[in-house]
């Protein structure tokens, strides 16, 4: 993709860490705004929520390169919806799904997250959010996820954020279950 599409410069610094597509290298556009989840954090996340993934429908919000949703598919999720507003990143998700052999189980929605929460149809057993660390309306987004009707009964909502980000213990109907810290990154799991 990088050589044939001149405007999409890619770097191969990520790989699938487990499951059927383990070891597959993922492409991501080079951009100072793009902050991919490290292999270490992704691996730790999916070890913690592994049971919830089996045959789950997964929603990957702020999908970026699609690494989180693709990792979920590789580790046993039945289907994943990816929401990303950047056309370049949607192109990367499409390529990464193809490389992992998982394109038939993934659907890409080019939209802002707030808009997508209005048109997507749930329920999802796992919802993954990896927003920009400086997202100004994180609380509004989390409340909208809680009220959207997209979270399955006993579903999990996983928020990746900086250790400097103040998150609440409760967003509408979502309650913080636990947190794990990995360097500057924190995973907050709600249900």
């Amino acid at each position: 993709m990088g050589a044939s599409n001149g405007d999409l410069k890619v770097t191969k610094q990520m790989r699938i860490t487990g499951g059927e597509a383990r070891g597959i290298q993922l492409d991501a556009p080079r951009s100072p705004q793009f902050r991919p989840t490290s292999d270490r954090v992704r691996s730790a996340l999916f070890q913690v929520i592994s049971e919830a993934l089996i045959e789950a429908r997964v929603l990957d919000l702020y999908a970026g390169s699609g690494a989180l949703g693709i990792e979920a598919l590789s580790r046993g999720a039945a289907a994943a919806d990816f929401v990303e507003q950047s056309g370049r990143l949607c192109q990367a998700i499409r390529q990464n799904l193809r490389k992992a052999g998982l394109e038939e189980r993934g659907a890409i929605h080019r939209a802002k997250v707030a808009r997508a929460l209005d048109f997507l149809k749930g329920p999802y057993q796992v919802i993954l959010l990896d927003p920009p660390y400086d997202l100004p309306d994180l609380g509004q987004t989390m409340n909208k996820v809680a009220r959207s009707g997209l979270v399955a009964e006993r579903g999990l909502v996983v928020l990746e954020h900086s250790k400097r980000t103040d998150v609440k213990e409760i967003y509408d109907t979502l309650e913080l279950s636990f947190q794990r810290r990995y360097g500057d990154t924190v995973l907050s799991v709600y249900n």
Side-chain angles (χ1 to χ4, degrees):
M1 177 184 268
S4 63
N5 292 327
D7 67 333
L8 183 62
K9 296 175 184 167
V10 297
T11 179
K12 293 183 179 182
Q13 297 181 352
M14 300 177 299
R15 64 181 173 79
I16 300 298
T17 62
E20 66 185 86
R22 182 181 180 154
I24 298 291
Q25 294 288 323
L26 299 178
D27 293 334
R30 291 183 189 151
S31 167
Q33 292 83 28
F34 181 68
R35 178 198 40 79
T37 301
S38 73
D39 291 350
R40 176 177 162 249
V41 172
R42 251 184 306 110
S43 180
L45 163 64
F46 288 107
Q47 287 175 10
V48 168
I49 67 166
S50 62
E51 289 182 27
L53 285 177
I54 305 306
E55 293 299 313
R57 284 188 71 217
V58 173
L59 177 57
D60 186 353
L61 299 172
Y62 306 97
S65 66
L68 289 176
I70 293 170
E71 185 88 36
L73 290 171
S74 178
R75 290 175 179 254
D81 284 314
F82 299 84
V83 176
E84 175 55 54
Q85 70 177 1
S86 163
R88 245 177 62 177
L89 289 171
C90 286
Q91 183 181 5
I93 295 167
R94 192 169 289 107
Q95 168 136 347
N96 287 333
L97 281 165
R98 190 172 25 251
K99 284 175 71 174
L102 299 167
E103 63 268 38
E104 291 181 13
R105 292 169 37 205
I108 303 165
H109 307 277
R110 183 176 179 192
K112 290 186 176 185
V113 167
R115 184 176 158 299
L117 292 174
D118 290 333
F119 69 74
L120 289 169
K121 303 290 182 218
Y124 294 95
Q125 287 73 34
V126 178
I127 298 179
L128 306 166
L129 293 95
D130 184 12
Y133 277 3
D134 60 352
L135 186 70
D137 58 351
L138 179 60
Q140 290 175 335
T141 300
M142 288 295 290
N143 283 323
K144 188 164 184 173
V145 168
R147 290 189 297 265
S148 68
L150 296 176
V151 184
E153 187 176 335
R154 296 194 317 254
L156 298 179
V157 176
V158 181
L159 173 64
E160 180 178 333
H161 58 90
S162 167
K163 67 181 181 184
R164 291 175 292 284
T165 303
D166 290 325
V167 297
K168 295 182 180 180
E169 289 196 21
I170 296 176
Y171 290 102
D172 202 82
T173 60
L174 294 175
E175 188 170 336
L176 182 64
S177 178
F178 63 90
Q179 290 181 316
R180 299 282 191 276
R181 183 174 161 195
Y182 306 92
D184 184 51
T185 301
V186 178
L187 299 173
S188 294
V189 179
Y190 292 83
N191 54 20

